[in-house]
Amino acid sequence: LGATGRGACEATGVDPAHVDIMMGTFTKSFGSCGGYIAASKEVIDGLKASGAAQLYAGAMSAPAVMQVLAALRLIRNQDGSGRGPEKLQTLKDNSNYFRAALLRMGCTVLGDWDSPVMPIMLYSPGKIAAFGRRTLDRGIAAVVVGFPATPLLTSRARICISAAHTKSDLDRAIAAVEEVADECALKYSGPQNVVPPPLRSAAFAKAQLNGHTNGHTSHLLC
């Protein structure tokens, strides 16, 4: 999220100095594990003294930390290659393309434009296994989430989009998800006429022109 990938504060124009506690994960955007909490020394000292994760969990391994640092350097374009900014724009384009398709087919999708994490509401607990198995049968790995991770009647599937997905990957996944949405009766919202933000990445524009695909099986993971 945000023009340079700095997250919710940048996307909403909020100065991070005005936020008392900031929390984030290293698992999705950085392809690693763990996360962080940024706050005043008093808050951090309190968490260290009483937080279960601090008391009972293990620290991040050195390779996992290096993965996060390498991802940060790439996102900030410190290597001068331009790959980081291009990946950020491709990720936004891929995410908006996929989200628009879900909304147009009538699924109830939480979240905002530019976000690569897309909860598709299932609601009924009986649809959790059905969605997960049917998408997997079509070569799509999607996470399904239910109680106690969510309230009993707000079960959902969660799709995560990557900058590495090609337009061909996304189109195949969209077709598969629509088939499963019909089988599981998930089109609660009805078709929506949405206009996503314009697609700006060079990779996506090229894919639209020549139908480029990397030939790999699409995996949407979270």
Side-chain angles (χ1 to χ4, degrees), residues 173-197:
I174 288 166
V177 170
E178 182 155 28
E179 289 178 3
V180 176
D182 286 331
E183 292 177 6
C184 296
L186 299 179
K187 297 182 178 180
Y188 299 111
S189 297
Q192 301 175 55
N193 184 20
V194 296
V195 180

Side-chain angles (χ1 to χ4, degrees), residues 92-215:
K92 291 179 183 180
D93 285 356
N94 285 353
S95 301
N96 292 336
Y97 182 78
F98 202 91
R99 182 180 294 276
L102 293 176
L103 293 171
R104 286 168 181 153
M105 72 175 68
C107 291
T108 302
V109 187
L110 304 185
D112 298 299
W113 295 113
D114 291 350
S115 173
V117 182
M118 300 176 205
I120 303 172
M121 298 307 296
L122 307 178
Y123 295 110
S124 171
K127 296 182 179 182
I128 297 173
F131 186 93
R133 291 170 182 168
R134 282 168 168 77
T135 50
L136 190 60
D137 288 343
R138 292 166 171 81
I140 310 299
V143 173
V144 286
V145 188
F147 182 84
T150 70
L152 186 62
L153 296 180
T154 58
S155 303
R156 63 200 64 184
R158 191 169 61 189
I159 299 293
C160 257
I161 301 299
S162 165
H165 287 124
T166 67
K167 183 176 180 295
S168 177
D169 290 333
L170 298 176
D171 287 339
R172 193 178 69 80
I174 288 166
V177 170
E178 182 155 28
E179 289 178 3
V180 176
D182 286 331
E183 292 177 6
C184 296
L186 299 179
K187 297 182 178 180
Y188 299 111
S189 297
Q192 301 175 55
N193 184 20
V194 296
V195 180
L199 306 176
R200 296 188 174 92
S201 67
F204 204 97
K206 180 180 178 182
Q208 287 182 304
L209 288 173
N210 59 23
H212 172 74
T213 176
N214 61 11

